[in-house]
Amino acid sequence: MPRKSVKLVSAEGFEFTVDYKAACVSNTIKQMLSSEGNFTETELGEINFPEISAPILEKICEYFYYKLRYMNESSKTIPEFQIPPEMALELLKASNYLDT
Amino acid sequence: MATNRYSSGEDNPNKWVYIKVKRRKSTYFLHIDLSETIQEVKAKLQDLVEKEPKDMKLYREGTELTDSTTLAEAKAENGDTIAMAFALPGEQGKFEEMDITPHDAELNA
């Protein structure tokens, strides 16, 4: 049952609504949303990330759209995805968890 | 329809251009085409926020965006942030103040 959008909630309760297709850039989210059974995640299209802070989660959502936009392009034309150095570690941890 | 001039996806119409619409602690990532009008953007937001387009105001850099302008005309670009305000219930024609909760303060979580 594919839905149109998914709400991702950060540790502090900030909400990020993204396209379903964008959220599925993350294999972890994709599996959460498509798994069998009555997980609340699957029903509401809402996923809580108590260990991910809002700035990191926002950056991750930006990455989803970056990926979708450029994944079929030749390497020359793709701008680098900018990551502030102070975010790098947290972002790495989160992306590892999200399998992105 | 020959209005594709403004879309950045001239060779690939499915490019994932997006804007971030923010209000308080919520951010809505919207997959858009820069040739869309503000009216069309509000229509897309309608389902997400459960408000009528007439009860929404959108701002870019502090300036209210009128329904008939396109995103390209408003100089919006991929990844831009647009602020959203709702009409105050019961008060005809009055809107809440623009209010986006910053999350910098909580960067050290």
Side-chain angles (χ1 to χ4, degrees), chain A residues 17-33:
Chain A
T17 305
V18 297
D19 268 64
Y20 176 80
K21 201 175 162 192
C24 287
V25 167
S26 156
N27 285 320
T28 306
I29 294 179
K30 188 177 183 177
Q31 276 165 18
M32 282 176 177
L33 292 172

Side-chain angles (χ1 to χ4, degrees), chain B residues 63 90 96 107:
Chain B
T63 312
E96 63 188 12
L107 193 57

Side-chain angles (χ1 to χ4, degrees), chain A residues 3-55:
Chain A
R3 53 181 72 243
K4 273 166 67 187
S5 64
V6 183
K7 193 188 280 182
L8 310 178
V9 185
S10 81
E12 315 91 330
F14 283 88
E15 298 174 351
F16 299 91
T17 305
V18 297
D19 268 64
Y20 176 80
K21 201 175 162 192
C24 287
V25 167
S26 156
N27 285 320
T28 306
I29 294 179
K30 188 177 183 177
Q31 276 165 18
M32 282 176 177
L33 292 172
S34 59
S35 51
E36 304 269 326
N38 294 322
F39 288 108
T40 43
E41 284 88 353
T42 325
E43 277 183 12
L44 300 171
E46 187 174 318
I47 307 177
N48 287 296
F49 294 103
E51 295 186 349
I52 303 181
S53 69

Side-chain angles (χ1 to χ4, degrees), chain A residues 19 65-66 68-70, chain B residues 6-9 12-20 29-36 44 71 76-80:
Chain A
D19 268 64
Y65 282 80
Y66 168 86
L68 286 170
R69 181 169 179 186
Y70 294 113
Chain B
Y6 286 120
S7 93
S8 57
N12 174 9
N14 293 320
K15 260 190 187 171
W16 282 73
V17 175
Y18 72 96
I19 51 169
K20 293 183 281 190
F29 281 71
L30 276 192
H31 178 203
I32 48 102
D33 192 304
L34 292 173
S35 62
E36 277 172 40
K44 280 187 178 177
L71 288 164
E77 289 173 11
N78 187 41
D80 266 6

Side-chain angles (χ1 to χ4, degrees), chain B residues 1 3-4 6-7 17 19 30-45 66-74 76:
Chain B
M1 293 266 278
T3 52
N4 270 346
Y6 286 120
S7 93
V17 175
I19 51 169
L30 276 192
H31 178 203
I32 48 102
D33 192 304
L34 292 173
S35 62
E36 277 172 40
T37 62
I38 298 304
Q39 181 75 52
E40 289 170 293
V41 173
K42 286 181 179 175
K44 280 187 178 177
L45 283 164
T66 48
D67 286 349
S68 57
T69 26
T70 65
L71 288 164
E73 283 164 357

